[in-house]
Amino acid sequence: LSAGVCCCCAALRPRYKRLVDNIFPEDPKDGLVKADMEKLTFYAVSAPEKLDRIGAYLAERLTRDVARHRYGYVLIAMEALDQLLMACHSQSIKPFVESFLHMVAKLLESGEPKLQVLGTNSFVKFANIEEDTPSYHRRYDFFVSRFSAMCHSRDPDPEIQNEIRIAGIRGIQGVVRKAVNDELRATIWEPQHMDKIVPSLLFNMQKIEDIDSRIGPPSSPTVGVKEENPSVLAENCFRELLGRATYGNMNNAVRPVFAHLDHHRLWDPNEFAVSCFKIIMYSIQAQYSHHVIQEILGHLDVRKRDSARVRAGIIQVLLEAVAIAAKGSIGPTVLEVFNTLLKHLRISVDFELGDRRSSCESTTLSISSKESDERIVQNAIIQTIGFFGSNLPDYQRSEIMMFIMSKVPVLGTTSQSLDPSNLGDLGTRRIQIMLLRSLLMVTSGYKATTISNALPAPFLDPLLSPSLMEDSELRQLVLEILHNLIDRHDNRAKLRGIRIIPDVSDLKIKRDKISRQDVSFMKKHGQQLYRHIYLGCKEEDNVQKNFELLFTSLALTTIELANEEVVIDLIRLAIALQDIAIINEDNLPMFNRCGVMALVAAYLNFLSQMIAVPAFCQHVSKVIETRSVEAAYFLPETIFKDKSNLPKSLEKDETDLFFLTNKIAESLGGSGYNVERLSVPYVPQVTDEDRLSRRKSIVDTVSLQVDILSGCSVEDKVDNTEEITFEALKKAIDNNGLEEQEKEKRRLVIEKFQKAPFEEIAAQCETKANLLHDRLAQILELTIRPPPSPSGTMTMTAGHPHYHSVPVYEMKFPDLCVY
């Protein structure tokens, strides 16, 4: 009667409707009628085929009550629905669930916050129910959209806004749990859903970042905090979402993060971005780490034209991701990471040099601040490369070392991946330094079992090439990289600085017996190492650090690679370095000459104590004592601390100040060393690297090949003739009378190579080479056929020094300048 229906009509109504009506009291404040609710539950369990009708009728009543704002009855209806859901688990519950979801949607659509929270709570309870069979037609598109909208609530009341956002986050969490547990779980990972879910969670996570400026993933909060704080709840939901991601849908969950960070400009500053990706990397399964790294690299390519600080922020995020991923599975991403970073290093250098050129062209602007920003990008790239490489296993690290070294541009070559042709000398130098700095970080802590593994020939040759360049910083980096690879027992710190060590035993040097593989390495590549040390000492721009690193290189070679044969070679090298300073054919400044002398003293003092030959130690100690009294500027403790007391000249006859080869040979010969090779002066080999290094001092070695042609001018005509007689040859062989003339010719050639244009030198060399080729062809022809009309005779006997086992004929060579 209260419902406007007569008793007869009420009696004729279906039983399920009567049972549903009975659970609603006359006054909604009294709440659900529990006794009648038990009857309804028993009926639903006994007759599960009636569940769909019960659900439809409850939905009808709830829709009417919502429209009439009778919220008390709405609460009762939802409570009844929740109890029925918890009690019924038969296959017939599927239609009932549809009615239930329809009612939840009605509540979420209403503008009343209490009803939205009520609908969310009911949905969360439903999400926690494990259904016996999957649903092949149910979709949660509406709920994803609605819960995501609730996460962005802008209600003017802060408490209501907080309540609605918490409800939205919990609803998303329920959708994720329900959809992932369903066999049709792929639907929730579609981009149209992820593009709503992920930004909604990040939006709420960002709020606490703005307030507390918290960096990195937070610690696990308590239960109470989870319910009260939308940010913490959103973060936990985000972690749960990523933890459920699989191989096929990982990218769909990560890409919306980039869109959110781009839209809200969160790359600069990037504290929140770093925190997000730390959460991502720690939440996903370890074997999927390379997916995230690939996505970061791809986004870096997309934003390559953005400001330097944005790119630096992305690279910093990559560094944090790599730091976590390097401890697990990297997969196929290793070379891709390095290749992409090196590409962006080149882009950054292009931007920097472009800004510098534009600043120079402008009369009103100084150097742009963008240049310093690009330095930030470059440092971030180097740090990422180095950190990533240093965390790789040794077998991968050696490949990365080769890969980076192959990218170092060398002037004069076109085979490098980072083509320096458009950068100029300044840009090429910048890339060289940055790549070597990153390589230095990669090699830090690398411990190879044999030197041949650490320094294979394809890596050693390009690594040593920069040590011939006219840049002291490049040479320093090369030596430091060599130290990382050679020092297998961590002795480098004990050798830091160049000094006369009173007692080497106090350093407690660690060393092992030289292995057969290391001996073989020194036989193949030892001369290459000696050569670069030798040439490195001849550079005019050497500073104290260069000499310190050269000393450390010699000392580490002695510790790690020196047998008796290598010791002799190192002594020959040291004596040759001393001759550089004494003879001074390269016109080095006095500081450099004294620095080389100090280097030789410090090293021979170290070497003599390492091999422990008393007579050798006595000779070295005597020279050092004499220097300390008469020429302190030849010792490292003096020359590198006080440069004002440099001598005006070095006298060659002051033998007491020099280490003498004959005395060293005498002292070592008595201890069983084979000292025959000490009588042969050390001379560095000439290789193709010299032409690529742009070293001024390399002209000396090149001139050895060229000055034999220096007597011939380009204008010489082929038809000029000159007779070659025995007296002429004897005069040419006698070098004593031509010593001063040869020195002058050498000086002119060096000056020409230093100052003449490259095109002129190349053309002249080509002309002379063709001329020499023609003359040699004539010589070969004349050794086979005698000339028809001899103009001069020459007879050589077997005892003559220039006798050869070929027929001797009368010879005539027109216009031959050399023999």
Side-chain angles (χ1 to χ4, degrees), residues 195 199 254-265 267 299:
D195 290 343
V254 174
R255 286 171 185 167
V257 178
F258 295 104
H260 180 82
L261 297 175
D262 290 342
H263 179 71
H264 294 276
R265 300 179 180 179
W267 295 112
H299 195 69

Side-chain angles (χ1 to χ4, degrees), residues 66 88 91 100 118 173 211 219 292 366 504 514 548 603 807 817:
V66 169
C88 302
Q91 295 182 356
F100 167 79
L118 177 63
Q173 193 173 30
I211 297 172
S219 57
V292 180
S366 60
V504 174
I514 308 301
E548 290 177 353
Y603 173 64
C817 301

Side-chain angles (χ1 to χ4, degrees), residues 22-23 83 279 369 396 431 479 544 570 609 625 709 730 759:
N22 290 339
I23 67 173
Q83 292 189 24
I279 293 172
S369 61
Q396 279 188 323
I431 291 182
L479 291 175
Q544 179 178 349
L570 290 171
Q609 296 185 56
E625 290 175 2
L709 304 175
K730 181 178 179 182
E759 293 78 6

Side-chain angles (χ1 to χ4, degrees), residues 80-207:
L81 284 169
D82 294 342
Q83 292 189 24
L84 289 173
L85 278 174
M86 299 299 293
C88 302
H89 297 284
S90 65
Q91 295 182 356
S92 302
I93 201 174
K94 299 301 178 185
F96 175 76
V97 169
E98 298 303 322
S99 299
F100 167 79
L101 293 177
H102 176 71
M103 286 183 280
V104 172
K106 286 292 183 182
L107 295 179
L108 296 177
E109 286 178 339
S110 67
E112 183 63 34
K114 292 183 179 180
L115 296 184
Q116 294 178 358
V117 174
L118 177 63
T120 302
N121 293 336
S122 295
F123 183 85
V124 171
K125 292 178 183 178
F126 161 72
N128 292 327
I129 297 175
E130 294 185 5
E131 300 183 54
D132 297 333
T133 57
S135 175
Y136 294 97
H137 62 279
R138 188 185 307 154
R139 297 185 64 88
Y140 300 99
D141 299 20
F142 168 80
F143 295 99
V144 169
S145 300
R146 190 57 194 160
F147 288 137
S148 298
M150 292 169 63
C151 290
H152 294 83
S153 173
R154 297 286 186 180
D155 195 280
D157 188 342
E159 293 184 2
I160 295 177
Q161 174 182 294
N162 191 66
E163 187 178 8
I164 295 175
R165 288 187 177 181
I166 289 177
I169 297 169
R170 293 179 67 241
I172 289 178
Q173 193 173 30
V175 171
V176 171
R177 289 176 180 174
K178 196 64 178 176
V180 169
N181 291 331
D182 198 315
E183 290 186 4
L184 297 180
R185 64 186 66 181
T187 56
I188 195 63
W189 298 106
E190 293 176 357
Q192 62 266 28
H193 299 322
M194 288 291 105
D195 290 343
K196 299 174 183 176
I197 292 175
V198 174
S200 300
L201 298 176
L202 295 178
F203 176 77
N204 286 275
M205 290 167 58
Q206 184 182 344
K207 294 303 176 181

Side-chain angles (χ1 to χ4, degrees), residues 250 280-291 324-325 327-331:
M250 175 61 64
I280 293 172
M281 296 303 295
Y282 281 117
S283 299
I284 63 176
Q285 301 180 45
Q287 63 267 30
Y288 302 146
S289 297
H290 63 278
H291 281 283
I324 299 171
K327 301 174 184 178
S329 172
I330 303 299

Side-chain angles (χ1 to χ4, degrees), residues 463-483:
L463 173 64
L464 293 179
S465 295
S467 68
L468 301 178
M469 295 182 180
E470 287 184 308
D471 192 297
S472 62
E473 186 176 358
L474 281 175
R475 300 196 301 273
Q476 291 171 14
L477 289 171
V478 171
L479 291 175
E480 290 177 353
I481 293 169
L482 278 176
H483 297 169

Side-chain angles (χ1 to χ4, degrees), residues 467 479 482 528-538 550-551 553-554 557 570 573 577 580 599 682:
S467 68
L479 291 175
L482 278 176
Q528 197 173 359
L529 293 175
Y530 306 149
R531 173 177 180 270
H532 284 77
I533 293 175
Y534 177 85
L535 296 177
C537 291
K538 299 173 68 174
L550 288 166
F551 166 75
S553 300
L554 290 168
T557 303
L570 290 171
L573 175 61
L577 294 177
I580 290 177
L599 168 65
Y682 170 78

